[in-house]
Amino acid sequence: MTDHPSVTDVVPDVAPADLAAPTRDGPLATAQAQLASAVERLGYDPGMHAMLGTSRREINVAIPLRRDDGSTELFHGFRVQHNVSRGPGKGGLRFHPSVDVDEVRALAMWMTWKCAVVELPYGGAKGGVAIDPRHYSQGELERVTRRYTSEIMPMIGPERDIMAPDVGTDAQTMAWVMDTYSVNKGYTIPGVVTGKPLEVGGSLGRATATSRGVVHCVVAALAEHGKTLDDVSAAVQGFGKVGSHAAAFLAEGGARVEAVSDQYGGVYRSGGLDLPRLMDYVERTGSVVDFDGGEPIDNTALLSLDVDVLVPAAVEGVLDAETAGQVQARWVVEGANGPTTPDGDRVLADRGVVVVPDILANAGGVVVSYFEWVQAQQAYWWTEAEIEQRLAERMAMAFESVGKTARHRDLSLRDAALLLSIQRVATAHQTRGLYP
Ligand code: NAD
């Protein structure tokens, strides 16, 4: 990778003191605060802290787009590899207007911990383009995706950095990335992305894997308190790839899903929504708003609903000190990445709310991405039943080891998951040694 001039190795230039006391709000401040407290608990020195807190490689690209009307527009894109001590970088590609390099850095760091918590042989990476995909045609999005891919080409590959869908991107986006990469290399290389359509080497079960993993975590967390899905009500914020299927699986499992929302608004029905009918409605209209099987509810009200389980599955930072103070749910299972700020976390802990952290709760997607990559490397495809069984086993194993660490060290599930994963990354780094 160092053979290409447009890719720079980033020298850690952030003093550990800055890492420990981030001054800004936002996902990177949250990620750095989480790391600082784990490093303190683990007793690592400032050198190790700086290594763990700094992206290994970052690339910043300009993406000119020829629009359908002939005009030109310029977008900014990023790819960040946070850590590759345990294997190639792995992480999604986000298309959202608020994408910036700090958000991508935070998401890449969380991917490192997530892959370590479920023991995948990957490091962490993330990419993003600051664009609102709703305002562009499919042809325009294809051109943006292909140009972005070609700009970051030296940094990615099945052994280097493997992309997947995230907010604002989907299986089709991954097919364009895979095709662009393959055409440039001269042969088909399905392992450069996961979350592809089945026709071009995708895996059965990938599209719903994150949501299944969320529901495995809900079930495991309830079981610790002698409850099952039949005993609980739930609310899900975000009705996209993660939230919609998580809501549907919760309902299939017997939970009463009383409210769901998207960025346009939400819908509530005491006793539970009719999820199959709601999913049909969203398929037709693009939003949960005005669904006739419930009453309108806004996103803030949804977070404070009197339900047992709350699944934030939309964007970062929605549970801050104020909104967390109003949460009535006993379990918060984080489908989204970084939905709870450090202040929000403290408030939830003080109030006795059990939080299953993002790096564990939404790891199902990257687990099945790993299965997809393994299948692509072997050109041998597993059945859906095999995939779902292996996913369930891996989520149960990870939940068990995080739970055990939490009990032994008297930590929250988030602190335990961070401690375990950061320790695994640091151990890999120490075992490999420092070059030169
Ligand atoms: P998506 O784009 O498919 O869906 C996002 C949903 O959130 C949409 O319903 C959107 O309307 C809603 N939303 C956006 N802004 C909102 C707001 N301010 N308030 C309420 N709702 C809002 O994205 P996704 O893939 O479902 O990802 C959701 C979250 O899950 C992200 O944090 C993502 O990083 C995380 N995640 C996704 C995966 C995956 O496999 N897709 C895996 C792990 C984590």
Side-chain angles (χ1 to χ4, degrees):
M1 221 166 286
T2 46
D3 57 0
H4 195 282
S6 68
V7 177
T8 50
D9 279 5
V10 176
V11 179
D13 59 356
V14 186
D18 295 338
L19 296 174
T23 50
R24 290 158 302 166
D25 287 336
L28 187 58
T30 300
Q32 292 289 12
Q34 292 170 347
L35 173 65
S37 89
V39 161
E40 195 181 329
R41 236 175 232 122
L42 289 162
Y44 291 154
D45 63 26
M48 178 62 89
H49 187 178
M51 194 281 298
L52 293 169
T54 309
S55 310
R56 172 72 184 270
R57 296 189 185 95
E58 300 182 340
I59 188 167
N60 175 337
V61 297
I63 307 160
L65 164 70
R66 193 182 329 101
R67 295 214 57 181
D68 293 342
D69 65 7
S71 63
T72 305
E73 199 172 337
L74 189 85
F75 299 96
H76 295 281
F78 312 93
R79 185 76 189 169
V80 171
Q81 290 168 1
H82 168 255
N83 189 288
V84 290
S85 292
R86 290 171 46 87
K90 182 84 192 81
L93 170 63
R94 178 173 292 199
F95 282 2
H96 193 274
S98 70
V99 161
D100 64 27
V101 69
D102 278 352
E103 181 186 58
V104 179
R105 285 174 174 149
L107 291 163
M109 189 186 294
W110 285 325
M111 282 308 297
T112 304
W113 314 146
K114 191 182 301 182
C115 291
V117 97
V118 283
E119 297 196 67
L120 304 182
Y122 290 140
K126 200 82 179 190
V129 178
I131 182 173
D132 188 340
R134 291 171 305 165
H135 299 149
Y136 297 85
S137 69
Q138 279 294 96
E140 289 171 333
L141 292 174
E142 176 174 356
R143 293 197 285 282
V144 166
T145 305
R146 289 187 183 278
R147 183 62 182 255
Y148 169 78
T149 306
S150 106
E151 294 291 343
I152 66 162
M153 188 95 67
M155 197 161 160
I156 59 173
E159 287 86 25
R160 293 182 170 184
D161 182 348
I162 305 128
M163 242 183 266
D166 190 72
V167 175
T169 58
D170 58 16
Q172 178 61 67
T173 321
M174 292 305 110
W176 292 328
V177 172
M178 189 275 258
D179 183 69
T180 306
Y181 185 81
S182 299
V183 167
N184 277 276
K185 295 287 175 189
Y187 60 106
T188 298
I189 306 172
V192 66
V193 293
T194 58
K196 296 179 290 295
L198 290 178
E199 300 75 22
V200 291
S203 174
L204 292 165
R206 172 61 185 90
T208 53
T210 307
S211 317
R212 283 207 187 275
V214 166
V215 176
H216 288 315
C217 286
V218 173
V219 170
L222 294 176
E224 297 203 329
H225 294 82
K227 288 187 183 293
T228 67
L229 289 178
D230 287 321
D231 302 320
V232 297
S233 56
V236 178
Q237 187 190 50
F239 207 70
K241 293 185 288 295
V242 179
S244 63
H245 296 293
F249 294 146
L250 285 169
E252 271 171 31
R256 298 179 305 285
V257 178
E258 298 199 329
V260 300
S261 66
D262 58 29
Q263 68 208 89
Y264 311 105
V267 56
Y268 164 79
R269 182 171 174 272
S270 171
L273 293 158
D274 180 344
L275 261 300
R277 206 160 74 75
L278 176 58
M279 287 182 86
D280 280 350
Y281 176 81
V282 173
E283 182 82 28
R284 278 184 282 117
T285 65
S287 171
V288 302
V289 171
D290 291 338
F291 175 59
D292 66 6
E295 304 152 34
I297 185 171
D298 68 38
N299 266 293
T300 317
L302 178 141
L303 295 175
S304 58
L305 261 185
D306 184 11
V307 287
D308 301 298
V309 178
L310 175 64
V311 178
V315 286
E316 295 109 45
V318 292
L319 291 170
D320 56 18
E322 195 186 327
T323 50
Q326 288 154 18
V327 166
Q328 298 194 59
R330 192 166 163 207
W331 292 271
V332 170
V333 182
E334 297 182 333
N337 285 311
T340 311
T341 67
D343 287 344
D345 223 16
R346 274 186 287 278
V347 171
L348 292 175
D350 288 347
R351 302 182 57 229
V353 178
V354 176
V355 179
V356 184
D358 46 8
I359 60 170
L360 173 62
N362 69 34
V366 75
V367 169
V368 176
S369 274
Y370 166 59
F371 296 162
E372 180 177 333
W373 179 77
V374 168
Q375 293 171 83
Q377 303 290 71
Q378 299 176 341
Y380 181 78
W381 305 95
W382 308 349
T383 65
E384 192 152 10
E386 282 171 318
I387 286 158
E388 280 178 12
Q389 191 201 330
R390 288 177 203 208
L391 169 64
E393 282 167 7
R394 208 169 265 257
M395 292 304 297
M397 235 165 58
F399 194 94
E400 173 64 25
S401 62
V402 170
K404 207 184 270 175
T405 306
R407 286 189 293 278
H408 284 172
R409 302 190 59 146
D410 195 21
L411 296 173
S412 68
L413 291 176
R414 186 187 314 281
D415 287 341
L418 286 163
L419 190 104
L420 259 185
S421 56
I422 291 170
Q423 201 169 28
R424 284 177 185 154
V425 175
T427 305
H429 174 71
Q430 281 162 332
T431 308
R432 287 174 62 149
L434 207 52
Y435 173 84

